Amino acid sequence: MKVLVPVKRVIDYNVKIRVKSDQSGVETENVKMAMNPFDEVAIEEALRMREAGVATEVVAVSIGTDKSQETLRTALAMGADEAMLIQTDADVEPLGVAKLLHKAVEKVGPEVVILGKQAIDDDSNQTGQMLAAMLDWPQGTFASKAEFSDGKVALSRETDDGIETLNLSLPAVITTDLRLNEPRYPNLPNIMKAKKKPLEVIQADSMGVDFASRLTVLKVEEPAEREPGVILGSVDELIDKLRNVEKVIS
Amino acid sequence: MSVLVVAEHNNSELNAMTLSAVSAASQLGDSDIHLLVAGENCGDVAKQAAAVAGVTKVFHAESAGLAHAIGENVAATVGSIAGDYSHILATATASGKNWMPRLAAQLDVQQISDITAVESADTFVRPIYAGNAMATVQSSDATKLITVRSTSFEAAADTGGSASVESVDAAGDFAGTQFVSEEVGESDRPDLVSAKVVVSGGRGMGSEENFKILEPLAEKLGAAIGASRAAVDAGYAPNELQVGQTGKVVAPDVYIAFGISGAIQHLAGMKESKVIVAVNTDEDAPIFQVASYGLVMDLFDVIPQLQEAL
C-alpha cells in the first residue's frame, strides 16, 4: 500500500517570531524555516510502516512556494520514496489545502494519509479532518499509536481525558500527535541520495480546485505583555505574596 | 439569526467549557442561542443545558454511535440540523477540534479555530504561532464554524434558563470507525482547565515517582495538576495533564510551575494565568520572564516547605 504524507514548511519551532510593524502578518524573510514538527512525526510513522512491510511506498506532498521543495527534500532524505510539490505563491487556508490534497490522493492512490495534527504557524488543527470528510474516509486524529492489520488500523489517540482506542477501516486519514514516535535525523549519505529522488512539481492553479481564501486577516498583533515579575528570596515571602497581596490562596 | 452551540459532555454532566461557548455566542448580536446535546443516555445533560441562561432551545440526539463522541457521527448529527444557523460554535477541546473541521469541509466552510474574542458577527481574534501573535480575521462564509477557547470567555450562568427540549434524530453511524476502549485518568481533583489553582511539573521533577510529590500539595491547595510536554514525553505524567500549544490551555488564578524551563510551546498554554509562580534552579530559565513571582531554588526544598506552611 502507498502512504501519502502531506508536509508543511513553517518557521522553525525554536525561532522567536516577530510581528510585522504594519500588522500585516509575521516576519518570514530571513527566518530559519523547517518542516512542521508534527509532519516529521508523520513521515517517520510512514517510514516505519514501510520498514515493517505494511506499506510499500511513501510519497511526500507539500503545498506552497518553490521553497517548499527544501521541505520535500528533507522528507526524501528521511527516507520518503518520492515527492510532489503543489506549487502556489498564495497563502492557502486549511479548507483549500484539503481540497488540493484531495486531488493529490486521487492522483497517488494511497490507502493511508498521515499528516500532523496541526501546523505550528496557524495552529488551526483542521486539514486532516477536512480531507477525511472530502474522501468520506474514517479519521484517526491526535494519534499516539497505530497498529495495522487486515485492512484496519487500531489507533490510540490522545483525548482530554486520557487515551482512546478506535478501530478504523482502511483507507483512512491519520493525524499525528508528538508522542507517536521520535523522528529520525537524515544522515549525510541519505541527504545526497535525496537529491536524486523524484520530485514532481504541479501548479496548484491547474488542479481544478477553488482554493481562494475565505478569511481576511485584518491585522496581526503582538499579544499583551505581562508585567515584569520579581524574584523572591524564600518560600515564606512567596506565601505572603500569594495570600496577602494577590489573595489567590487562603 | 440563530446560533447553534454544540455541548461538550460525558453523557451525565455538561462540561463547564460549554458555558463559555454560550457566552461567546451571546456576543454575536441579537440572536437565539440553541444548544445541541448529542450522546447516549444523555437526558440529564439536556436538562442541564435547558437551564443555561440565555439558551432558548435544546436539541437532544440519542444514539449508541454518539456515546463516545466519534467525530464522524457528531459531525453528521450536527450537519443534519445545521440548516439556517448563522454560526455553529463548539469548545476548542480535543472533541471539538476533532469533529468540527469534518463538518466544515462537508459544508464547504473555512472554520475559525480557537477564538479568544468576538469583534463582530463575522470578525474574530485567534492566537497563531503558539499565541506569540494574535490575528484578527473576518470570515466571508455564509455560516461561521467556530471553536471557542473557554479561558477567554466568562462562563454563562448554568441556572436561570428555561429552554424547551426537542428530540432530534442522530444522523448515521459511520461504519468505518468503531470505538474499542478508553483509558481515563482517575482523579478527584478539580478539572485542569477550570481549576482556580494549578500546580504543574516539568522535566525538573526527575521521575514519575518524584512527580507524585505534587499530589499532596495539590490536595492542600485544592489545585489541579498540570505538566509540561517534557514531563509527559519522559513518562512522568499522563498526556491529559499536558499544558501548552498542543495540550490544554489554562488560565487559573495562580499557576505554580515546578522545574519547568518555559519553552514558548508551554507558555502558550498558561501565560494568561492571573498569577504565575516559577520555581527553578536555573535563573536563566525563560519561565522567569513570564512569572509574577520566581524562586531560584530547588523544587525538592520548596515543595515540602510550602506543604508545611500552608
Side-chain angles (χ1 to χ4, degrees), chain A residues 75-161:
Chain A
L76 294 168
M78 287 175 75
D81 298 290
E82 359 178 321
M84 181 195 295
L85 172 63
I86 301 175
Q87 205 269 335
T88 174
D89 291 339
D91 275 332
V92 189
E93 293 168 347
L95 183 70
V97 169
K99 288 177 182 178
L100 291 166
L101 290 176
H102 186 187
K103 292 287 177 187
V105 167
E106 286 171 0
K107 199 172 152 62
V108 174
E111 265 189 84
V112 174
V113 179
I114 307 185
L115 68 167
K117 74 168 182 180
Q118 74 194 72
I120 61 166
D121 49 7
D122 71 0
D123 285 331
S124 285
N125 193 334
Q126 299 174 3
T127 302
Q129 297 90 311
M130 287 180 158
L131 177 63
M134 291 171 188
L135 293 161
D136 202 27
W137 288 5
Q139 62 185 47
T141 53
F142 326 148
S144 60
K145 195 163 124 190
E147 288 175 336
F148 292 85
S149 65
D150 303 331
K152 287 186 184 292
V153 55
L155 189 108
S156 300
R157 48 192 303 273
E158 297 195 355
T159 69
D160 287 342
D161 301 318

Coordinates of all heavy atoms in Angstrom, one line a residue, chain A residues 75-161:
Chain A
A75 N 12.1 15.5 3.6 CA 11.3 14.2 3.7 C 11.9 13.1 2.9 O 12.0 11.9 3.4 CB 9.9 14.5 3.1
L76 N 12.5 13.4 1.7 CA 13.2 12.4 0.9 C 14.4 11.9 1.6 O 14.8 10.7 1.6 CB 13.5 12.9 -0.5 CG 12.3 13.3 -1.4 CD1 12.7 14.1 -2.6 CD2 11.6 12.0 -1.8
A77 N 15.1 12.8 2.3 CA 16.4 12.5 3.0 C 16.0 11.6 4.2 O 16.8 10.7 4.6 CB 17.1 13.7 3.4
M78 N 14.9 11.8 4.8 CA 14.5 10.9 5.9 C 14.2 9.5 5.4 O 14.3 8.6 6.1 CB 13.3 11.5 6.6 CG 13.5 12.7 7.5 SD 12.0 13.5 8.1 CE 11.6 12.3 9.5
G79 N 13.7 9.5 4.1 CA 13.5 8.1 3.5 C 12.3 8.0 2.6 O 12.0 6.9 2.1
A80 N 11.5 9.1 2.4 CA 10.4 9.0 1.5 C 10.9 8.6 0.1 O 12.0 9.0 -0.3 CB 9.6 10.3 1.5
D81 N 10.0 8.0 -0.6 CA 10.4 7.5 -2.0 C 10.3 8.5 -3.0 O 11.1 8.6 -3.9 CB 9.6 6.2 -2.3 CG 9.7 5.1 -1.4 OD1 10.8 4.5 -1.4 OD2 8.8 4.9 -0.6
E82 N 9.2 9.3 -3.0 CA 9.0 10.3 -4.0 C 8.3 11.5 -3.3 O 7.8 11.4 -2.2 CB 8.2 9.9 -5.2 CG 7.7 8.6 -5.3 CD 6.9 8.3 -6.5 OE1 6.1 9.2 -6.9 OE2 7.1 7.2 -7.1
A83 N 8.3 12.6 -4.1 CA 7.7 13.8 -3.5 C 7.0 14.6 -4.6 O 7.3 14.4 -5.8 CB 8.8 14.7 -2.9
M84 N 6.0 15.4 -4.2 CA 5.2 16.2 -5.1 C 5.0 17.5 -4.5 O 4.6 17.7 -3.3 CB 3.8 15.5 -5.3 CG 2.9 16.2 -6.2 SD 1.2 15.6 -6.0 CE 1.4 13.9 -6.6
L85 N 5.3 18.6 -5.3 CA 5.0 20.0 -4.8 C 3.9 20.5 -5.6 O 3.9 20.5 -6.8 CB 6.3 20.9 -5.0 CG 6.0 22.4 -4.8 CD1 5.6 22.6 -3.3 CD2 7.2 23.2 -5.2
I86 N 2.8 20.9 -4.9 CA 1.7 21.6 -5.5 C 2.0 23.1 -5.3 O 1.9 23.6 -4.2 CB 0.4 21.1 -4.9 CG1 0.2 19.6 -5.0 CG2 -0.8 21.9 -5.5 CD1 -1.0 19.0 -4.4
Q87 N 2.5 23.7 -6.4 CA 3.1 25.0 -6.3 C 2.1 26.1 -6.4 O 1.3 26.1 -7.3 CB 4.2 25.1 -7.4 CG 5.3 26.1 -7.1 CD 5.0 27.5 -7.6 OE1 4.2 27.6 -8.5 NE2 5.6 28.4 -7.0
T88 N 2.2 27.0 -5.4 CA 1.4 28.2 -5.4 C 2.1 29.3 -4.6 O 2.7 28.9 -3.5 CB 0.0 28.0 -5.0 OG1 -0.7 29.3 -4.9 CG2 -0.1 27.4 -3.6
D89 N 2.0 30.5 -4.9 CA 2.5 31.6 -4.1 C 1.5 32.1 -3.1 O 1.8 33.0 -2.3 CB 3.1 32.7 -5.0 CG 4.4 32.3 -5.7 OD1 5.0 31.3 -5.3 OD2 4.7 32.9 -6.7
A90 N 0.3 31.6 -3.3 CA -0.8 32.1 -2.4 C -0.7 31.5 -1.0 O -0.2 30.4 -0.9 CB -2.2 31.7 -3.1
D91 N -1.3 32.2 0.0 CA -1.5 31.6 1.3 C -2.7 30.8 1.2 O -3.8 31.3 1.0 CB -1.6 32.7 2.3 CG -0.3 33.2 2.8 OD1 0.7 32.5 2.8 OD2 -0.3 34.4 3.2
V92 N -2.6 29.5 1.4 CA -3.8 28.6 1.3 C -4.2 28.2 2.7 O -3.5 27.8 3.5 CB -3.4 27.4 0.4 CG1 -4.7 26.6 0.1 CG2 -2.7 27.8 -0.9
E93 N -5.5 28.4 2.9 CA -6.1 28.1 4.2 C -6.4 26.5 4.2 O -6.5 25.9 3.2 CB -7.5 28.8 4.3 CG -7.3 30.3 4.5 CD -8.6 31.1 4.3 OE1 -9.6 30.5 3.9 OE2 -8.5 32.3 4.6
P94 N -6.6 26.0 5.5 CA -6.8 24.6 5.6 C -7.8 24.0 4.6 O -7.6 22.9 4.1 CB -7.2 24.4 7.0 CG -6.5 25.5 7.8 CD -6.6 26.7 6.8
L95 N -9.0 24.7 4.4 CA -10.0 24.1 3.5 C -9.5 24.0 2.1 O -9.7 22.9 1.4 CB -11.2 25.1 3.5 CG -12.4 24.6 2.7 CD1 -13.1 23.4 3.3 CD2 -13.4 25.8 2.5
G96 N -8.7 25.0 1.6 CA -8.1 24.9 0.3 C -7.0 23.9 0.2 O -6.9 23.1 -0.8
V97 N -6.2 23.7 1.3 CA -5.2 22.7 1.4 C -5.8 21.3 1.3 O -5.4 20.5 0.5 CB -4.4 22.8 2.7 CG1 -3.5 21.6 2.9 CG2 -3.5 24.1 2.7
A98 N -6.9 21.1 2.0 CA -7.6 19.8 2.0 C -8.1 19.5 0.6 O -8.1 18.4 0.1 CB -8.7 19.8 3.0
K99 N -8.7 20.5 -0.1 CA -9.2 20.3 -1.5 C -8.0 19.9 -2.4 O -8.2 19.0 -3.3 CB -9.9 21.6 -2.0 CG -11.2 21.9 -1.3 CD -11.8 23.2 -1.9 CE -13.1 23.5 -1.2 NZ -13.6 24.8 -1.6
L100 N -6.9 20.6 -2.3 CA -5.8 20.3 -3.2 C -5.2 18.9 -2.8 O -4.9 18.1 -3.7 CB -4.7 21.3 -3.0 CG -5.0 22.7 -3.6 CD1 -4.0 23.8 -3.2 CD2 -5.0 22.6 -5.2
L101 N -5.2 18.5 -1.5 CA -4.7 17.2 -1.1 C -5.7 16.1 -1.6 O -5.3 15.0 -1.9 CB -4.6 17.1 0.4 CG -3.5 17.9 1.0 CD1 -3.5 17.9 2.6 CD2 -2.1 17.5 0.5
H102 N -7.0 16.5 -1.6 CA -8.0 15.5 -2.2 C -7.6 15.1 -3.6 O -7.6 13.9 -3.9 CB -9.4 16.2 -2.1 CG -10.5 15.3 -2.5 ND1 -11.8 15.8 -2.6 CD2 -10.6 14.0 -2.7 CE1 -12.6 14.8 -2.9 NE2 -11.9 13.7 -3.0
K103 N -7.2 16.1 -4.4 CA -6.7 15.9 -5.8 C -5.5 15.0 -5.8 O -5.3 14.1 -6.6 CB -6.5 17.2 -6.5 CG -7.7 18.0 -6.8 CD -8.6 17.3 -7.9 CE -9.9 18.1 -8.1 NZ -10.7 17.3 -9.0
A104 N -4.6 15.3 -4.8 CA -3.3 14.6 -4.7 C -3.6 13.1 -4.4 O -3.0 12.2 -4.9 CB -2.4 15.2 -3.7
V105 N -4.6 12.9 -3.5 CA -5.0 11.5 -3.2 C -5.5 10.8 -4.4 O -5.1 9.6 -4.6 CB -6.0 11.5 -2.0 CG1 -6.7 10.1 -1.8 CG2 -5.4 12.0 -0.7
E106 N -6.3 11.4 -5.2 CA -6.8 10.8 -6.4 C -5.7 10.4 -7.4 O -5.7 9.4 -8.0 CB -7.8 11.7 -7.1 CG -9.2 11.8 -6.4 CD -10.1 12.9 -7.0 OE1 -9.6 13.6 -7.9 OE2 -11.2 13.1 -6.4
K107 N -4.7 11.3 -7.4 CA -3.6 11.0 -8.3 C -2.6 9.9 -7.8 O -2.2 9.1 -8.6 CB -2.8 12.4 -8.4 CG -1.9 12.5 -9.6 CD -1.3 14.0 -9.6 CE 0.0 14.0 -10.3 NZ 0.1 13.6 -11.7
V108 N -2.3 9.9 -6.5 CA -1.3 9.0 -6.0 C -2.0 7.6 -5.6 O -1.4 6.6 -5.7 CB -0.6 9.6 -4.7 CG1 0.3 8.6 -4.1 CG2 0.1 10.9 -5.1
G109 N -3.2 7.7 -5.1 CA -3.9 6.4 -4.8 C -3.4 5.8 -3.5 O -3.2 4.6 -3.5
P110 N -3.2 6.5 -2.4 CA -2.8 5.9 -1.1 C -3.9 5.2 -0.4 O -5.1 5.6 -0.6 CB -2.3 7.1 -0.3 CG -3.2 8.2 -0.8 CD -3.5 8.0 -2.2
E111 N -3.6 4.3 0.5 CA -4.6 3.7 1.4 C -4.6 4.4 2.7 O -5.5 4.2 3.5 CB -4.4 2.2 1.5 CG -5.2 1.4 0.6 CD -5.1 -0.1 0.9 OE1 -5.8 -0.5 1.8 OE2 -4.2 -0.7 0.3
V112 N -3.5 5.1 3.0 CA -3.4 5.8 4.3 C -2.8 7.2 4.0 O -1.8 7.3 3.2 CB -2.5 5.1 5.3 CG1 -2.3 5.9 6.5 CG2 -3.1 3.7 5.7
V113 N -3.4 8.2 4.5 CA -2.8 9.6 4.5 C -2.4 9.9 6.0 O -3.3 9.8 6.9 CB -3.7 10.6 4.0 CG1 -3.1 12.0 4.0 CG2 -4.2 10.3 2.6
I114 N -1.2 10.2 6.2 CA -0.8 10.6 7.6 C -0.2 12.0 7.6 O 0.7 12.3 6.7 CB 0.4 9.7 8.2 CG1 0.0 8.2 8.1 CG2 0.6 10.0 9.6 CD1 1.0 7.3 8.7
L115 N -0.7 12.8 8.4 CA -0.2 14.2 8.5 C -0.2 14.7 9.9 O -0.9 14.1 10.8 CB -1.0 15.1 7.6 CG -2.4 15.4 7.9 CD1 -2.9 16.6 7.0 CD2 -3.4 14.3 7.7
G116 N 0.5 15.8 10.2 CA 0.5 16.4 11.5 C -0.9 16.9 11.9 O -1.7 17.3 11.1
K117 N -1.2 16.8 13.2 CA -2.5 17.2 13.7 C -2.7 18.8 13.6 O -3.8 19.2 13.5 CB -2.7 16.8 15.1 CG -2.0 17.6 16.2 CD -2.6 17.3 17.6 CE -1.9 18.1 18.7 NZ -2.4 17.9 20.0
Q118 N -1.6 19.5 13.6 CA -1.7 20.9 13.4 C -0.3 21.4 12.8 O 0.7 20.7 13.0 CB -2.1 21.7 14.6 CG -1.0 21.8 15.7 CD -1.6 22.3 17.0 OE1 -2.2 21.5 17.7 NE2 -1.3 23.5 17.4
A119 N -0.4 22.6 12.2 CA 0.9 23.2 11.8 C 1.2 24.3 12.9 O 0.2 24.9 13.3 CB 0.7 23.9 10.4
I120 N 2.4 24.4 13.2 CA 2.8 25.3 14.3 C 2.8 26.8 13.9 O 3.1 27.6 14.8 CB 4.1 24.9 15.0 CG1 5.3 25.0 14.0 CG2 4.0 23.5 15.6 CD1 6.6 25.0 14.7
D121 N 2.4 27.1 12.7 CA 2.3 28.5 12.4 C 0.8 29.0 12.6 O 0.6 29.9 13.4 CB 2.7 28.8 10.9 CG 2.1 27.9 9.9 OD1 1.3 27.1 10.2 OD2 2.6 28.0 8.7
D122 N -0.2 28.4 11.9 CA -1.5 29.0 12.2 C -2.3 28.2 13.2 O -3.4 28.6 13.6 CB -2.3 29.1 10.8 CG -2.7 27.7 10.3 OD1 -2.4 26.7 10.9 OD2 -3.3 27.7 9.2
D123 N -1.7 27.0 13.7 CA -2.4 26.3 14.8 C -3.8 26.0 14.6 O -4.6 26.0 15.5 CB -2.2 27.1 16.1 CG -0.8 27.0 16.7 OD1 -0.1 26.0 16.5 OD2 -0.4 28.0 17.4
S124 N -4.2 25.7 13.3 CA -5.7 25.5 13.1 C -6.2 24.1 13.5 O -7.3 24.0 14.0 CB -6.0 25.7 11.6 OG -5.9 27.1 11.3
N125 N -5.4 23.1 13.2 CA -5.8 21.7 13.5 C -7.1 21.4 12.8 O -8.1 21.1 13.4 CB -6.0 21.6 15.1 CG -6.1 20.1 15.5 OD1 -6.6 19.3 14.7 ND2 -5.8 19.9 16.7
Q126 N -7.0 21.5 11.4 CA -8.2 21.2 10.6 C -8.0 20.3 9.4 O -8.9 19.6 9.0 CB -8.8 22.6 10.1 CG -9.2 23.5 11.2 CD -9.6 24.9 10.6 OE1 -9.6 25.1 9.4 NE2 -10.0 25.8 11.4
T127 N -6.8 20.4 8.8 CA -6.6 19.9 7.5 C -6.9 18.4 7.4 O -7.6 17.9 6.4 CB -5.2 20.1 7.0 OG1 -4.9 21.5 7.0 CG2 -5.0 19.6 5.6
G128 N -6.4 17.6 8.3 CA -6.6 16.1 8.2 C -8.1 15.7 8.3 O -8.6 14.9 7.5
Q129 N -8.8 16.4 9.2 CA -10.3 16.1 9.4 C -11.0 16.5 8.1 O -12.0 15.8 7.7 CB -10.8 16.8 10.6 CG -10.2 16.5 11.9 CD -9.0 17.3 12.3 OE1 -8.1 17.5 11.5 NE2 -8.9 17.8 13.5
M130 N -10.6 17.7 7.6 CA -11.3 18.1 6.3 C -11.1 17.2 5.2 O -12.0 16.9 4.4 CB -10.8 19.5 6.0 CG -11.3 20.6 6.9 SD -10.7 22.2 6.5 CE -11.9 23.3 7.3
L131 N -9.8 16.7 5.0 CA -9.5 15.8 4.0 C -10.3 14.5 4.1 O -10.9 14.0 3.2 CB -8.0 15.5 3.9 CG -7.5 14.5 2.9 CD1 -7.8 15.0 1.5 CD2 -6.0 14.2 3.1
A132 N -10.4 14.0 5.4 CA -11.1 12.8 5.6 C -12.6 13.0 5.2 O -13.2 12.1 4.6 CB -11.0 12.4 7.1
A133 N -13.2 14.1 5.5 CA -14.6 14.4 5.2 C -14.7 14.4 3.7 O -15.7 13.8 3.1 CB -15.0 15.8 5.7
M134 N -13.8 15.0 2.9 CA -13.9 15.1 1.5 C -13.8 13.7 0.8 O -14.5 13.4 -0.2 CB -12.9 16.0 0.9 CG -13.1 17.5 1.3 SD -11.7 18.5 0.9 CE -12.2 20.0 1.6
L135 N -13.0 12.8 1.4 CA -12.8 11.5 0.9 C -13.9 10.5 1.5 O -14.0 9.4 1.0 CB -11.4 11.0 1.3 CG -10.3 11.7 0.7 CD1 -9.0 11.4 1.5 CD2 -10.1 11.2 -0.8
D136 N -14.7 11.0 2.5 CA -15.6 10.1 3.2 C -14.8 8.9 3.8 O -15.3 7.8 3.9 CB -16.8 9.7 2.4 CG -18.0 9.3 3.2 OD1 -18.1 9.8 4.3 OD2 -18.8 8.4 2.7
W137 N -13.6 9.2 4.3 CA -12.8 8.2 5.0 C -12.9 8.3 6.5 O -13.2 9.4 7.0 CB -11.3 8.3 4.6 CG -11.0 7.9 3.2 CD1 -11.9 7.5 2.2 CD2 -9.7 7.9 2.6 NE1 -11.1 7.2 1.1 CE2 -9.8 7.5 1.3 CE3 -8.4 8.2 3.1 CZ2 -8.7 7.3 0.4 CZ3 -7.3 8.0 2.3 CH2 -7.5 7.6 1.0
P138 N -12.6 7.3 7.3 CA -12.5 7.4 8.7 C -11.3 8.3 9.1 O -10.4 8.4 8.3 CB -12.2 6.0 9.2 CG -12.6 5.1 8.1 CD -12.4 5.9 6.8
Q139 N -11.4 9.0 10.2 CA -10.3 9.9 10.6 C -9.9 9.4 12.0 O -10.6 9.2 12.9 CB -10.8 11.3 10.7 CG -11.9 11.6 11.6 CD -12.4 13.1 11.5 OE1 -12.6 13.6 10.4 NE2 -12.5 13.8 12.6
G140 N -8.6 9.3 12.1 CA -7.9 9.0 13.4 C -7.0 10.1 13.8 O -5.9 10.2 13.4
T141 N -7.6 11.0 14.6 CA -6.9 12.3 14.9 C -6.0 12.1 16.2 O -6.4 11.3 17.1 CB -7.8 13.4 15.1 OG1 -8.8 13.1 16.1 CG2 -8.5 13.8 13.8
F142 N -5.0 12.9 16.3 CA -4.1 13.1 17.5 C -3.6 11.7 18.0 O -3.6 11.3 19.1 CB -4.9 13.7 18.7 CG -6.0 14.7 18.3 CD1 -7.1 14.9 19.0 CD2 -5.8 15.5 17.2 CE1 -8.1 15.8 18.6 CE2 -6.7 16.4 16.8 CZ -7.9 16.6 17.5
A143 N -3.0 11.0 17.0 CA -2.6 9.6 17.2 C -1.4 9.5 18.0 O -0.4 10.2 17.8 CB -2.4 8.9 15.9
S144 N -1.4 8.6 19.0 CA -0.1 8.3 19.8 C 0.3 6.8 19.5 O 1.4 6.4 19.9 CB -0.4 8.5 21.3 OG -1.4 7.7 21.7
K145 N -0.5 6.0 18.8 CA -0.1 4.7 18.4 C -1.0 4.2 17.3 O -2.2 4.5 17.3 CB -0.3 3.7 19.6 CG 0.4 2.4 19.5 CD 0.5 1.8 20.9 CE -0.1 0.4 20.9 NZ -0.3 -0.1 22.3
A146 N -0.4 3.5 16.3 CA -1.1 3.0 15.2 C -0.6 1.6 14.9 O 0.5 1.4 14.6 CB -1.0 3.9 14.0
E147 N -1.6 0.6 14.9 CA -1.2 -0.8 14.6 C -2.1 -1.3 13.5 O -3.3 -1.4 13.6 CB -1.4 -1.7 15.8 CG -0.3 -1.4 16.9 CD -0.5 -2.2 18.2 OE1 -1.7 -2.6 18.5 OE2 0.5 -2.4 18.9
F148 N -1.4 -1.7 12.4 CA -2.1 -2.0 11.2 C -2.2 -3.6 11.1 O -1.3 -4.3 11.3 CB -1.4 -1.5 9.9 CG -1.4 0.0 9.8 CD1 -0.5 0.7 10.5 CD2 -2.4 0.6 9.1 CE1 -0.5 2.1 10.4 CE2 -2.4 2.0 9.0 CZ -1.5 2.8 9.6
S149 N -3.4 -4.0 10.7 CA -3.6 -5.5 10.4 C -4.9 -5.7 9.6 O -5.9 -5.0 10.0 CB -3.5 -6.3 11.6 OG -4.6 -6.1 12.4
D150 N -5.0 -6.5 8.7 CA -6.2 -7.0 8.0 C -7.0 -5.8 7.5 O -8.3 -5.8 7.7 CB -7.0 -7.9 8.9 CG -6.3 -9.1 9.3 OD1 -5.4 -9.5 8.6 OD2 -6.6 -9.6 10.4
G151 N -6.4 -4.8 6.8 CA -7.2 -3.7 6.3 C -7.8 -2.8 7.3 O -8.7 -2.0 7.0
K152 N -7.2 -2.9 8.5 CA -7.7 -2.0 9.6 C -6.5 -1.4 10.3 O -5.4 -1.9 10.2 CB -8.6 -2.7 10.6 CG -9.9 -3.1 10.1 CD -10.7 -3.8 11.2 CE -12.1 -4.3 10.8 NZ -13.0 -3.2 10.4
V153 N -6.8 -0.3 11.1 CA -5.8 0.2 12.0 C -6.4 0.4 13.4 O -7.5 1.0 13.5 CB -5.1 1.5 11.5 CG1 -6.1 2.6 11.2 CG2 -4.0 2.0 12.4
A154 N -5.7 -0.2 14.4 CA -6.1 0.1 15.8 C -5.3 1.3 16.2 O -4.1 1.3 16.2 CB -5.7 -1.1 16.7
L155 N -6.1 2.4 16.4 CA -5.5 3.7 16.6 C -5.7 4.2 18.0 O -6.9 4.4 18.4 CB -6.1 4.7 15.5 CG -5.3 6.0 15.5 CD1 -4.5 6.1 14.2 CD2 -6.2 7.1 15.6
S156 N -4.6 4.5 18.7 CA -4.8 5.1 20.0 C -4.6 6.6 19.9 O -3.7 7.1 19.2 CB -3.8 4.6 21.0 OG -3.9 3.2 21.1
R157 N -5.5 7.4 20.5 CA -5.5 8.8 20.3 C -5.6 9.5 21.6 O -6.2 9.1 22.6 CB -6.6 9.3 19.3 CG -8.0 8.7 19.6 CD -8.9 9.0 18.5 NE -9.0 10.4 18.2 CZ -9.9 11.3 18.8 NH1 -10.7 10.8 19.7 NH2 -9.9 12.6 18.6
E158 N -4.9 10.7 21.7 CA -4.8 11.4 22.9 C -6.1 12.3 23.0 O -6.3 13.2 22.1 CB -3.5 12.3 23.0 CG -2.3 11.4 23.0 CD -1.0 12.1 23.4 OE1 -1.1 13.4 23.6 OE2 0.0 11.4 23.5
T159 N -6.8 12.2 24.1 CA -8.0 13.0 24.3 C -7.8 13.9 25.6 O -6.7 13.7 26.2 CB -9.3 12.1 24.5 OG1 -9.2 11.5 25.8 CG2 -9.4 11.1 23.4
D160 N -8.8 14.7 25.9 CA -8.6 15.5 27.1 C -8.7 14.7 28.4 O -8.3 15.1 29.5 CB -9.7 16.5 27.1 CG -9.5 17.6 26.1 OD1 -8.4 17.8 25.6 OD2 -10.5 18.4 25.8
D161 N -9.2 13.4 28.3 CA -9.3 12.6 29.5 C -8.3 11.5 29.6 O -8.2 10.9 30.6 CB -10.7 11.9 29.5 CG -11.9 12.9 29.4 OD1 -11.8 13.9 30.1 OD2 -12.8 12.7 28.7

